Amino acid sequence: MLALKQEEDVCANFLHMTSYENRMSRTARQFLSADLGNRYHLSTPEAYNGLDTSVLIGGFSCRALPAIHNLELQATAAACEMFDASHAELRLVSGVHATLSTIAALTQAGDAVYSIAPEDGGHFATKQVAESLGRTSHYIAWDNERLNIDLGGCAKKFQDISPSMVFLDHGTPLFNLPVRELKALLPKNCILVYDASHTLGLIAGRAFQRPLLEGADVLQGNTHKTFPGPQKAMVLFKDREVGRKYSNTVSMGLVSSQHTHHTIALCITILEMQRYGKEYVQQMLTNARSLGTELVKSGIGLVTYQGVFTTSHELLISSGWEDSHLAAADRLFRSNISVNGRIAFSRPTLRVGVQELTRRGMGMVEMKQIASLLATVITNPSKTGQVADQVKSLAADFPDVHFSFDTPSYDAGQR
């Protein structure tokens, strides 16, 4: 137990700039350890009419949890409004669980499922999930100069092997994907899935693209990156009937316990995002542009297209180290700065995100300071660890969670 507490204390002294993490509000987080987390919360919001004391699923009855059902109804309506959806499914317990459920529920054995290759920014698990379900896995064509989908190359691939599903699982989303144009290339019955695990918060804040309005049939993603909730997932649908059939399939074998404590935390976060999401996202984008500009001034190279390094919350550092990107990442870890070293767009990069820094209330002043810290450690191995005290001091100055029910009023733009 002592070791775990020490690990938690170490984490508190870090600047967490990995693109796959965020910080929940105290309001949401308090329910993760509540006794309600030990109780099963079953079925869908539509199955609860607000009066029943029990829930009936296929002849199996269990006690209803009315307060959670009502919270879920509010959150589901808010999610549909934020994401332009007709139906929302909140029971999935992780992003990969959502991917497995979506492929299983909406395709058949032998169907061709296209996704993004990992070296182009796609998720490593999608191919394995599709093939384990008896589908054939294929990669869409990618243009590493434009940092986006190669529509002409996709058209040729689709002529050779017709897709039943195209799954856009992009993990380094610097720019919008051409959803509308891609949809026009697909067969009539092909399902287009936009996995927004990295950009779900941006979409909720109406500051990125709007996939369901642009032609995607399904919008899904985990809920702990730019969307600052628990490690869970949601799946949203343009067509209500498709969504209901999906939820029925999920009910019959793809989920049992939806992790009640995580459901409560997710619902609270959805309502926080409905109220404060636009302000949070605008500050996040401002911070990303500010950090990128300051890094370039410091001589750090970024992945760009036509001079633009991002329109999202992520930056990809492409040069500045004399050894390797993984060695530079390790130096940053030892300096209390957490990033990701990975291959993206077929080149070695450090992937950084500003979502958690923003959620903690940091603004442009801090981005300038952080850019200096990053540049120092990346370019000069002899400085490894020497900036750790500065990082600890900066982290200690921002203990709260902003843009939430904890501290709803904040103007990072003045910092």
mmCIF file with all atom_site columns, all heavy atoms in Angstrom, residues 14-21 329 332-333 335-340 351-353 374 391:
data_model
loop_
_atom_site.group_PDB
_atom_site.id
_atom_site.type_symbol
_atom_site.label_atom_id
_atom_site.label_alt_id
_atom_site.label_comp_id
_atom_site.label_asym_id
_atom_site.label_entity_id
_atom_site.label_seq_id
_atom_site.pdbx_PDB_ins_code
_atom_site.Cartn_x
_atom_site.Cartn_y
_atom_site.Cartn_z
_atom_site.occupancy
_atom_site.B_iso_or_equiv
_atom_site.pdbx_formal_charge
_atom_site.auth_seq_id
_atom_site.auth_comp_id
_atom_site.auth_asym_id
_atom_site.auth_atom_id
_atom_site.pdbx_PDB_model_num
ATOM 1   N N   . PHE A 1 14  ? 4.432  15.162 -11.858 1.00 0.00 ? 14  PHE A N   1
ATOM 2   C CA  . PHE A 1 14  ? 4.682  15.096 -13.297 1.00 0.00 ? 14  PHE A CA  1
ATOM 3   C C   . PHE A 1 14  ? 3.832  16.108 -14.067 1.00 0.00 ? 14  PHE A C   1
ATOM 4   O O   . PHE A 1 14  ? 2.738  16.488 -13.632 1.00 0.00 ? 14  PHE A O   1
ATOM 5   C CB  . PHE A 1 14  ? 4.343  13.703 -13.825 1.00 0.00 ? 14  PHE A CB  1
ATOM 6   C CG  . PHE A 1 14  ? 5.532  12.786 -13.962 1.00 0.00 ? 14  PHE A CG  1
ATOM 7   C CD1 . PHE A 1 14  ? 6.170  12.274 -12.842 1.00 0.00 ? 14  PHE A CD1 1
ATOM 8   C CD2 . PHE A 1 14  ? 6.010  12.434 -15.212 1.00 0.00 ? 14  PHE A CD2 1
ATOM 9   C CE1 . PHE A 1 14  ? 7.250  11.422 -12.957 1.00 0.00 ? 14  PHE A CE1 1
ATOM 10  C CE2 . PHE A 1 14  ? 7.095  11.584 -15.348 1.00 0.00 ? 14  PHE A CE2 1
ATOM 11  C CZ  . PHE A 1 14  ? 7.723  11.079 -14.223 1.00 0.00 ? 14  PHE A CZ  1
ATOM 12  N N   . LEU A 1 15  ? 4.338  16.509 -15.223 1.00 0.00 ? 15  LEU A N   1
ATOM 13  C CA  . LEU A 1 15  ? 3.514  17.117 -16.256 1.00 0.00 ? 15  LEU A CA  1
ATOM 14  C C   . LEU A 1 15  ? 3.106  15.979 -17.187 1.00 0.00 ? 15  LEU A C   1
ATOM 15  O O   . LEU A 1 15  ? 3.951  15.406 -17.897 1.00 0.00 ? 15  LEU A O   1
ATOM 16  C CB  . LEU A 1 15  ? 4.296  18.177 -17.027 1.00 0.00 ? 15  LEU A CB  1
ATOM 17  C CG  . LEU A 1 15  ? 4.634  19.461 -16.281 1.00 0.00 ? 15  LEU A CG  1
ATOM 18  C CD1 . LEU A 1 15  ? 5.429  20.404 -17.179 1.00 0.00 ? 15  LEU A CD1 1
ATOM 19  C CD2 . LEU A 1 15  ? 3.379  20.162 -15.769 1.00 0.00 ? 15  LEU A CD2 1
ATOM 20  N N   . HIS A 1 16  ? 1.840  15.623 -17.166 1.00 0.00 ? 16  HIS A N   1
ATOM 21  C CA  . HIS A 1 16  ? 1.348  14.513 -17.978 1.00 0.00 ? 16  HIS A CA  1
ATOM 22  C C   . HIS A 1 16  ? 0.929  15.060 -19.346 1.00 0.00 ? 16  HIS A C   1
ATOM 23  O O   . HIS A 1 16  ? -0.115 15.695 -19.482 1.00 0.00 ? 16  HIS A O   1
ATOM 24  C CB  . HIS A 1 16  ? 0.189  13.824 -17.276 1.00 0.00 ? 16  HIS A CB  1
ATOM 25  C CG  . HIS A 1 16  ? 0.600  13.167 -15.989 1.00 0.00 ? 16  HIS A CG  1
ATOM 26  N ND1 . HIS A 1 16  ? 1.168  11.916 -15.948 1.00 0.00 ? 16  HIS A ND1 1
ATOM 27  C CD2 . HIS A 1 16  ? 0.566  13.609 -14.696 1.00 0.00 ? 16  HIS A CD2 1
ATOM 28  C CE1 . HIS A 1 16  ? 1.453  11.598 -14.693 1.00 0.00 ? 16  HIS A CE1 1
ATOM 29  N NE2 . HIS A 1 16  ? 1.098  12.605 -13.917 1.00 0.00 ? 16  HIS A NE2 1
ATOM 30  N N   . MET A 1 17  ? 1.774  14.783 -20.347 1.00 0.00 ? 17  MET A N   1
ATOM 31  C CA  . MET A 1 17  ? 1.534  15.289 -21.694 1.00 0.00 ? 17  MET A CA  1
ATOM 32  C C   . MET A 1 17  ? 1.324  14.160 -22.688 1.00 0.00 ? 17  MET A C   1
ATOM 33  O O   . MET A 1 17  ? 1.394  14.364 -23.898 1.00 0.00 ? 17  MET A O   1
ATOM 34  C CB  . MET A 1 17  ? 2.703  16.179 -22.125 1.00 0.00 ? 17  MET A CB  1
ATOM 35  C CG  . MET A 1 17  ? 2.911  17.379 -21.216 1.00 0.00 ? 17  MET A CG  1
ATOM 36  S SD  . MET A 1 17  ? 4.222  18.496 -21.762 1.00 0.00 ? 17  MET A SD  1
ATOM 37  C CE  . MET A 1 17  ? 3.506  19.152 -23.274 1.00 0.00 ? 17  MET A CE  1
ATOM 38  N N   . THR A 1 18  ? 1.084  12.957 -22.174 1.00 0.00 ? 18  THR A N   1
ATOM 39  C CA  . THR A 1 18  ? 0.693  11.875 -23.058 1.00 0.00 ? 18  THR A CA  1
ATOM 40  C C   . THR A 1 18  ? -0.686 12.197 -23.632 1.00 0.00 ? 18  THR A C   1
ATOM 41  O O   . THR A 1 18  ? -1.530 12.782 -22.961 1.00 0.00 ? 18  THR A O   1
ATOM 42  C CB  . THR A 1 18  ? 0.643  10.549 -22.294 1.00 0.00 ? 18  THR A CB  1
ATOM 43  O OG1 . THR A 1 18  ? -0.112 10.738 -21.100 1.00 0.00 ? 18  THR A OG1 1
ATOM 44  C CG2 . THR A 1 18  ? 2.038  10.082 -21.925 1.00 0.00 ? 18  THR A CG2 1
ATOM 45  N N   . SER A 1 19  ? -0.906 11.779 -24.867 1.00 0.00 ? 19  SER A N   1
ATOM 46  C CA  . SER A 1 19  ? -2.165 12.147 -25.518 1.00 0.00 ? 19  SER A CA  1
ATOM 47  C C   . SER A 1 19  ? -3.314 11.240 -25.116 1.00 0.00 ? 19  SER A C   1
ATOM 48  O O   . SER A 1 19  ? -4.444 11.456 -25.560 1.00 0.00 ? 19  SER A O   1
ATOM 49  C CB  . SER A 1 19  ? -1.994 12.112 -27.036 1.00 0.00 ? 19  SER A CB  1
ATOM 50  O OG  . SER A 1 19  ? -1.778 10.784 -27.467 1.00 0.00 ? 19  SER A OG  1
ATOM 51  N N   . TYR A 1 20  ? -3.045 10.217 -24.292 1.00 0.00 ? 20  TYR A N   1
ATOM 52  C CA  . TYR A 1 20  ? -4.109 9.276  -23.940 1.00 0.00 ? 20  TYR A CA  1
ATOM 53  C C   . TYR A 1 20  ? -4.536 9.369  -22.482 1.00 0.00 ? 20  TYR A C   1
ATOM 54  O O   . TYR A 1 20  ? -5.146 8.434  -21.956 1.00 0.00 ? 20  TYR A O   1
ATOM 55  C CB  . TYR A 1 20  ? -3.691 7.836  -24.263 1.00 0.00 ? 20  TYR A CB  1
ATOM 56  C CG  . TYR A 1 20  ? -2.353 7.392  -23.709 1.00 0.00 ? 20  TYR A CG  1
ATOM 57  C CD1 . TYR A 1 20  ? -2.072 7.427  -22.354 1.00 0.00 ? 20  TYR A CD1 1
ATOM 58  C CD2 . TYR A 1 20  ? -1.369 6.924  -24.565 1.00 0.00 ? 20  TYR A CD2 1
ATOM 59  C CE1 . TYR A 1 20  ? -0.862 7.003  -21.853 1.00 0.00 ? 20  TYR A CE1 1
ATOM 60  C CE2 . TYR A 1 20  ? -0.145 6.492  -24.081 1.00 0.00 ? 20  TYR A CE2 1
ATOM 61  C CZ  . TYR A 1 20  ? 0.104  6.534  -22.717 1.00 0.00 ? 20  TYR A CZ  1
ATOM 62  O OH  . TYR A 1 20  ? 1.324  6.124  -22.236 1.00 0.00 ? 20  TYR A OH  1
ATOM 63  N N   . GLU A 1 21  ? -4.233 10.466 -21.805 1.00 0.00 ? 21  GLU A N   1
ATOM 64  C CA  . GLU A 1 21  ? -4.623 10.618 -20.408 1.00 0.00 ? 21  GLU A CA  1
ATOM 65  C C   . GLU A 1 21  ? -5.260 11.985 -20.178 1.00 0.00 ? 21  GLU A C   1
ATOM 66  O O   . GLU A 1 21  ? -5.081 12.909 -20.960 1.00 0.00 ? 21  GLU A O   1
ATOM 67  C CB  . GLU A 1 21  ? -3.406 10.461 -19.490 1.00 0.00 ? 21  GLU A CB  1
ATOM 68  C CG  . GLU A 1 21  ? -2.786 9.080  -19.526 1.00 0.00 ? 21  GLU A CG  1
ATOM 69  C CD  . GLU A 1 21  ? -1.498 8.990  -18.745 1.00 0.00 ? 21  GLU A CD  1
ATOM 70  O OE1 . GLU A 1 21  ? -0.760 9.996  -18.650 1.00 0.00 ? 21  GLU A OE1 1
ATOM 71  O OE2 . GLU A 1 21  ? -1.210 7.899  -18.220 1.00 0.00 ? 21  GLU A OE2 1
ATOM 72  N N   . ALA A 1 329 ? 12.552 10.500 -25.222 1.00 0.00 ? 329 ALA A N   1
ATOM 73  C CA  . ALA A 1 329 ? 11.380 10.246 -24.377 1.00 0.00 ? 329 ALA A CA  1
ATOM 74  C C   . ALA A 1 329 ? 11.814 9.794  -22.996 1.00 0.00 ? 329 ALA A C   1
ATOM 75  O O   . ALA A 1 329 ? 11.257 10.235 -21.977 1.00 0.00 ? 329 ALA A O   1
ATOM 76  C CB  . ALA A 1 329 ? 10.489 9.191  -25.024 1.00 0.00 ? 329 ALA A CB  1
ATOM 77  N N   . LEU A 1 332 ? 12.905 12.663 -20.908 1.00 0.00 ? 332 LEU A N   1
ATOM 78  C CA  . LEU A 1 332 ? 11.757 13.431 -20.428 1.00 0.00 ? 332 LEU A CA  1
ATOM 79  C C   . LEU A 1 332 ? 11.091 12.725 -19.254 1.00 0.00 ? 332 LEU A C   1
ATOM 80  O O   . LEU A 1 332 ? 10.686 13.374 -18.280 1.00 0.00 ? 332 LEU A O   1
ATOM 81  C CB  . LEU A 1 332 ? 10.761 13.652 -21.570 1.00 0.00 ? 332 LEU A CB  1
ATOM 82  C CG  . LEU A 1 332 ? 11.220 14.645 -22.642 1.00 0.00 ? 332 LEU A CG  1
ATOM 83  C CD1 . LEU A 1 332 ? 10.332 14.560 -23.882 1.00 0.00 ? 332 LEU A CD1 1
ATOM 84  C CD2 . LEU A 1 332 ? 11.223 16.066 -22.097 1.00 0.00 ? 332 LEU A CD2 1
ATOM 85  N N   . PHE A 1 333 ? 10.970 11.401 -19.318 1.00 0.00 ? 333 PHE A N   1
ATOM 86  C CA  . PHE A 1 333 ? 10.398 10.658 -18.190 1.00 0.00 ? 333 PHE A CA  1
ATOM 87  C C   . PHE A 1 333 ? 11.200 10.935 -16.921 1.00 0.00 ? 333 PHE A C   1
ATOM 88  O O   . PHE A 1 333 ? 10.636 11.158 -15.844 1.00 0.00 ? 333 PHE A O   1
ATOM 89  C CB  . PHE A 1 333 ? 10.411 9.152  -18.463 1.00 0.00 ? 333 PHE A CB  1
ATOM 90  C CG  . PHE A 1 333 ? 9.617  8.710  -19.652 1.00 0.00 ? 333 PHE A CG  1
ATOM 91  C CD1 . PHE A 1 333 ? 9.924  7.524  -20.297 1.00 0.00 ? 333 PHE A CD1 1
ATOM 92  C CD2 . PHE A 1 333 ? 8.558  9.467  -20.140 1.00 0.00 ? 333 PHE A CD2 1
ATOM 93  C CE1 . PHE A 1 333 ? 9.204  7.100  -21.396 1.00 0.00 ? 333 PHE A CE1 1
ATOM 94  C CE2 . PHE A 1 333 ? 7.829  9.061  -21.241 1.00 0.00 ? 333 PHE A CE2 1
ATOM 95  C CZ  . PHE A 1 333 ? 8.154  7.873  -21.874 1.00 0.00 ? 333 PHE A CZ  1
ATOM 96  N N   . SER A 1 335 ? 12.821 13.431 -16.250 1.00 0.00 ? 335 SER A N   1
ATOM 97  C CA  . SER A 1 335 ? 12.697 14.848 -15.892 1.00 0.00 ? 335 SER A CA  1
ATOM 98  C C   . SER A 1 335 ? 11.282 15.195 -15.447 1.00 0.00 ? 335 SER A C   1
ATOM 99  O O   . SER A 1 335 ? 10.907 16.367 -15.380 1.00 0.00 ? 335 SER A O   1
ATOM 100 C CB  . SER A 1 335 ? 13.108 15.729 -17.080 1.00 0.00 ? 335 SER A CB  1
ATOM 101 O OG  . SER A 1 335 ? 14.430 15.473 -17.484 1.00 0.00 ? 335 SER A OG  1
ATOM 102 N N   . ASN A 1 336 ? 10.470 14.158 -15.196 1.00 0.00 ? 336 ASN A N   1
ATOM 103 C CA  . ASN A 1 336 ? 9.085  14.314 -14.710 1.00 0.00 ? 336 ASN A CA  1
ATOM 104 C C   . ASN A 1 336 ? 8.142  14.888 -15.769 1.00 0.00 ? 336 ASN A C   1
ATOM 105 O O   . ASN A 1 336 ? 7.184  15.581 -15.451 1.00 0.00 ? 336 ASN A O   1
ATOM 106 C CB  . ASN A 1 336 ? 9.030  15.182 -13.440 1.00 0.00 ? 336 ASN A CB  1
ATOM 107 C CG  . ASN A 1 336 ? 9.497  14.437 -12.217 1.00 0.00 ? 336 ASN A CG  1
ATOM 108 O OD1 . ASN A 1 336 ? 10.400 13.615 -12.278 1.00 0.00 ? 336 ASN A OD1 1
ATOM 109 N ND2 . ASN A 1 336 ? 8.885  14.716 -11.071 1.00 0.00 ? 336 ASN A ND2 1
ATOM 110 N N   . ILE A 1 337 ? 8.426  14.591 -17.023 1.00 0.00 ? 337 ILE A N   1
ATOM 111 C CA  . ILE A 1 337 ? 7.532  14.970 -18.117 1.00 0.00 ? 337 ILE A CA  1
ATOM 112 C C   . ILE A 1 337 ? 7.167  13.698 -18.879 1.00 0.00 ? 337 ILE A C   1
ATOM 113 O O   . ILE A 1 337 ? 8.047  12.994 -19.381 1.00 0.00 ? 337 ILE A O   1
ATOM 114 C CB  . ILE A 1 337 ? 8.189  15.984 -19.077 1.00 0.00 ? 337 ILE A CB  1
ATOM 115 C CG1 . ILE A 1 337 ? 8.579  17.253 -18.317 1.00 0.00 ? 337 ILE A CG1 1
ATOM 116 C CG2 . ILE A 1 337 ? 7.236  16.325 -20.218 1.00 0.00 ? 337 ILE A CG2 1
ATOM 117 C CD1 . ILE A 1 337 ? 9.374  18.244 -19.158 1.00 0.00 ? 337 ILE A CD1 1
ATOM 118 N N   . SER A 1 338 ? 5.876  13.409 -18.959 1.00 0.00 ? 338 SER A N   1
ATOM 119 C CA  . SER A 1 338 ? 5.418  12.181 -19.597 1.00 0.00 ? 338 SER A CA  1
ATOM 120 C C   . SER A 1 338 ? 4.915  12.469 -21.008 1.00 0.00 ? 338 SER A C   1
ATOM 121 O O   . SER A 1 338 ? 4.042  13.323 -21.212 1.00 0.00 ? 338 SER A O   1
ATOM 122 C CB  . SER A 1 338 ? 4.285  11.557 -18.759 1.00 0.00 ? 338 SER A CB  1
ATOM 123 O OG  . SER A 1 338 ? 3.894  10.325 -19.305 1.00 0.00 ? 338 SER A OG  1
ATOM 124 N N   . VAL A 1 339 ? 5.489  11.780 -21.997 1.00 0.00 ? 339 VAL A N   1
ATOM 125 C CA  . VAL A 1 339 ? 5.104  11.901 -23.404 1.00 0.00 ? 339 VAL A CA  1
ATOM 126 C C   . VAL A 1 339 ? 5.024  10.490 -23.983 1.00 0.00 ? 339 VAL A C   1
ATOM 127 O O   . VAL A 1 339 ? 5.182  9.503  -23.280 1.00 0.00 ? 339 VAL A O   1
ATOM 128 C CB  . VAL A 1 339 ? 6.119  12.751 -24.195 1.00 0.00 ? 339 VAL A CB  1
ATOM 129 C CG1 . VAL A 1 339 ? 6.229  14.164 -23.620 1.00 0.00 ? 339 VAL A CG1 1
ATOM 130 C CG2 . VAL A 1 339 ? 7.501  12.084 -24.218 1.00 0.00 ? 339 VAL A CG2 1
ATOM 131 N N   . ASN A 1 340 ? 4.780  10.379 -25.279 1.00 0.00 ? 340 ASN A N   1
ATOM 132 C CA  . ASN A 1 340 ? 4.822  9.088  -25.972 1.00 0.00 ? 340 ASN A CA  1
ATOM 133 C C   . ASN A 1 340 ? 5.878  9.120  -27.063 1.00 0.00 ? 340 ASN A C   1
ATOM 134 O O   . ASN A 1 340 ? 5.878  10.043 -27.891 1.00 0.00 ? 340 ASN A O   1
ATOM 135 C CB  . ASN A 1 340 ? 3.485  8.755  -26.640 1.00 0.00 ? 340 ASN A CB  1
ATOM 136 C CG  . ASN A 1 340 ? 2.355  8.586  -25.663 1.00 0.00 ? 340 ASN A CG  1
ATOM 137 O OD1 . ASN A 1 340 ? 1.259  9.061  -25.907 1.00 0.00 ? 340 ASN A OD1 1
ATOM 138 N ND2 . ASN A 1 340 ? 2.601  7.913  -24.566 1.00 0.00 ? 340 ASN A ND2 1
ATOM 139 N N   . ARG A 1 351 ? 4.987  12.102 -29.337 1.00 0.00 ? 351 ARG A N   1
ATOM 140 C CA  . ARG A 1 351 ? 3.597  12.565 -29.397 1.00 0.00 ? 351 ARG A CA  1
ATOM 141 C C   . ARG A 1 351 ? 3.255  13.223 -28.072 1.00 0.00 ? 351 ARG A C   1
ATOM 142 O O   . ARG A 1 351 ? 3.405  12.615 -27.009 1.00 0.00 ? 351 ARG A O   1
ATOM 143 C CB  . ARG A 1 351 ? 2.667  11.389 -29.680 1.00 0.00 ? 351 ARG A CB  1
ATOM 144 C CG  . ARG A 1 351 ? 1.201  11.775 -29.800 1.00 0.00 ? 351 ARG A CG  1
ATOM 145 C CD  . ARG A 1 351 ? 0.339  10.575 -30.130 1.00 0.00 ? 351 ARG A CD  1
ATOM 146 N NE  . ARG A 1 351 ? 0.339  9.585  -29.049 1.00 0.00 ? 351 ARG A NE  1
ATOM 147 C CZ  . ARG A 1 351 ? -0.434 8.496  -29.039 1.00 0.00 ? 351 ARG A CZ  1
ATOM 148 N NH1 . ARG A 1 351 ? -1.241 8.240  -30.063 1.00 0.00 ? 351 ARG A NH1 1
ATOM 149 N NH2 . ARG A 1 351 ? -0.394 7.646  -28.032 1.00 0.00 ? 351 ARG A NH2 1
ATOM 150 N N   . VAL A 1 352 ? 2.799  14.465 -28.133 1.00 0.00 ? 352 VAL A N   1
ATOM 151 C CA  . VAL A 1 352 ? 2.427  15.183 -26.915 1.00 0.00 ? 352 VAL A CA  1
ATOM 152 C C   . VAL A 1 352 ? 1.017  15.742 -27.079 1.00 0.00 ? 352 VAL A C   1
ATOM 153 O O   . VAL A 1 352 ? 0.571  16.061 -28.183 1.00 0.00 ? 352 VAL A O   1
ATOM 154 C CB  . VAL A 1 352 ? 3.419  16.328 -26.587 1.00 0.00 ? 352 VAL A CB  1
ATOM 155 C CG1 . VAL A 1 352 ? 4.816  15.795 -26.420 1.00 0.00 ? 352 VAL A CG1 1
ATOM 156 C CG2 . VAL A 1 352 ? 3.393  17.409 -27.666 1.00 0.00 ? 352 VAL A CG2 1
ATOM 157 N N   . GLY A 1 353 ? 0.317  15.854 -25.951 1.00 0.00 ? 353 GLY A N   1
ATOM 158 C CA  . GLY A 1 353 ? -1.020 16.430 -25.937 1.00 0.00 ? 353 GLY A CA  1
ATOM 159 C C   . GLY A 1 353 ? -1.154 17.403 -24.786 1.00 0.00 ? 353 GLY A C   1
ATOM 160 O O   . GLY A 1 353 ? -0.496 17.260 -23.755 1.00 0.00 ? 353 GLY A O   1
ATOM 161 N N   . LEU A 1 374 ? 10.820 21.309 -22.378 1.00 0.00 ? 374 LEU A N   1
ATOM 162 C CA  . LEU A 1 374 ? 10.901 20.233 -23.364 1.00 0.00 ? 374 LEU A CA  1
ATOM 163 C C   . LEU A 1 374 ? 12.154 20.369 -24.224 1.00 0.00 ? 374 LEU A C   1
ATOM 164 O O   . LEU A 1 374 ? 12.905 19.403 -24.437 1.00 0.00 ? 374 LEU A O   1
ATOM 165 C CB  . LEU A 1 374 ? 9.657  20.237 -24.253 1.00 0.00 ? 374 LEU A CB  1
ATOM 166 C CG  . LEU A 1 374 ? 8.342  19.759 -23.635 1.00 0.00 ? 374 LEU A CG  1
ATOM 167 C CD1 . LEU A 1 374 ? 7.172  20.113 -24.545 1.00 0.00 ? 374 LEU A CD1 1
ATOM 168 C CD2 . LEU A 1 374 ? 8.369  18.257 -23.393 1.00 0.00 ? 374 LEU A CD2 1
ATOM 169 N N   . VAL A 1 391 ? 9.744  21.323 -12.944 1.00 0.00 ? 391 VAL A N   1
ATOM 170 C CA  . VAL A 1 391 ? 8.500  20.648 -13.303 1.00 0.00 ? 391 VAL A CA  1
ATOM 171 C C   . VAL A 1 391 ? 7.632  20.427 -12.071 1.00 0.00 ? 391 VAL A C   1
ATOM 172 O O   . VAL A 1 391 ? 6.422  20.683 -12.078 1.00 0.00 ? 391 VAL A O   1
ATOM 173 C CB  . VAL A 1 391 ? 8.800  19.307 -14.003 1.00 0.00 ? 391 VAL A CB  1
ATOM 174 C CG1 . VAL A 1 391 ? 7.503  18.510 -14.210 1.00 0.00 ? 391 VAL A CG1 1
ATOM 175 C CG2 . VAL A 1 391 ? 9.485  19.544 -15.337 1.00 0.00 ? 391 VAL A CG2 1
#
